Amino acid sequence: MKIAVYSGSFNPLHIGHLAILRYLVKTAGYQRVLLIVSPQSPFKDAASNLSGQARYEAACEALARHPELKGIEASDIELSMEPPHYTIRTLDTLRARNPKDSITLVVGADNLESFPRWRDYKRILKEYGIAVYPRKGYHRGHLKARLMKEDPSYKIELLNAPLVTISSTEIRSADGKDMSKWLM
């Protein structure tokens, strides 16, 4: 089975996430997508996050509002893992549970730029591979080329997913403005 691992804080889930999820199952050919709610990114400020459990419950509720998204499930796998929460540990745990499946990490172009800072990024790129969706202000082709110069065996796929211009950060910082139309 072809599994996409879409991980993040999802604080909150919004229509941009929905567009990417739809693309993964309807266009990119993933039979299963795991929406993994991360307790705390090592690159983000903890003060801006709701609890991991609250975000996981919100993800379950958001997916329930979209029954057309077959094969997508929210996962709380990282909520029970000991910190630090490195993506490689999550991927290795998923592979141990699904040894016959092909697992690919889904990231935005903004993450591709900082990917060499991730724990065991070379292993991720060689053993799992990444599928990169566009983000405003990031040229994925240049970023991919830079990494491929380092090692041509890296598995990096550039997705032709729709460009999403809203972010969770923008929604959280709306200062009382109604942002409900942007929520998933």
Side-chain angles (χ1 to χ4, degrees):
M1 180 180 295
K2 189 175 170 185
I3 300 174
V5 172
Y6 187 20
S7 177
S9 57
F10 303 118
N11 182 26
L13 272 166
H14 54 69
I15 60 170
H17 297 123
L18 178 60
I20 292 163
L21 290 168
R22 283 185 174 138
Y23 179 86
L24 291 170
V25 294
K26 294 183 178 184
T27 307
Y30 289 96
Q31 291 117 342
R32 185 173 173 212
V33 177
L34 297 175
L35 182 74
I36 297 181
V37 177
S38 299
Q40 176 59 45
S41 166
F43 301 117
K44 291 188 179 177
D45 176 19
S48 67
N49 284 332
L50 294 173
S51 77
Q53 187 62 38
R55 288 180 288 109
Y56 168 70
E57 290 169 9
C60 290
E61 291 168 8
L63 289 175
R65 289 190 294 273
H66 296 278
E68 77 279 7
L69 297 176
K70 306 255 188 271
I72 299 175
E73 63 186 82
S75 172
D76 61 354
I77 185 174
E78 289 188 352
L79 299 182
S80 61
M81 294 173 74
E82 290 293 317
H85 298 101
Y86 296 122
T87 300
I88 190 66
R89 291 180 59 221
T90 304
L91 293 170
D92 288 345
T93 301
L94 290 170
R95 181 171 53 197
R97 292 180 185 178
N98 307 281
K100 295 181 181 180
D101 294 329
S102 169
I103 298 172
T104 303
L105 178 65
V106 177
V107 298
D110 53 328
N111 285 313
L112 185 60
E113 182 176 63
S114 64
F115 211 73
R117 293 181 26 219
W118 290 35
R119 172 69 53 114
D120 292 328
Y121 79 95
K122 293 176 182 182
R123 270 192 60 220
I124 294 171
L125 292 172
K126 286 183 174 207
E127 295 178 25
Y128 298 98
I130 58 174
V132 186
Y133 59 88
R135 289 293 299 259
K136 185 177 179 182
Y138 296 90
H139 193 288
R140 296 175 305 153
H142 291 170
L143 297 170
K144 177 182 177 179
R146 190 178 319 146
L147 284 168
M148 296 303 285
K149 261 183 159 173
E150 181 180 307
D151 188 333
S153 70
Y154 287 161
K155 296 184 251 180
I156 304 172
E157 175 188 7
L158 302 182
L159 299 173
N160 289 320
L163 178 65
V164 178
T165 57
I166 189 71
S167 73
S168 295
T169 302
E170 289 176 81
I171 293 171
R172 284 193 312 272
S173 62
D175 290 330
K177 184 178 172 188
D178 181 16
M179 300 297 283
S180 59
K181 71 178 184 178
W182 300 103
L183 300 177
M184 185 172 148

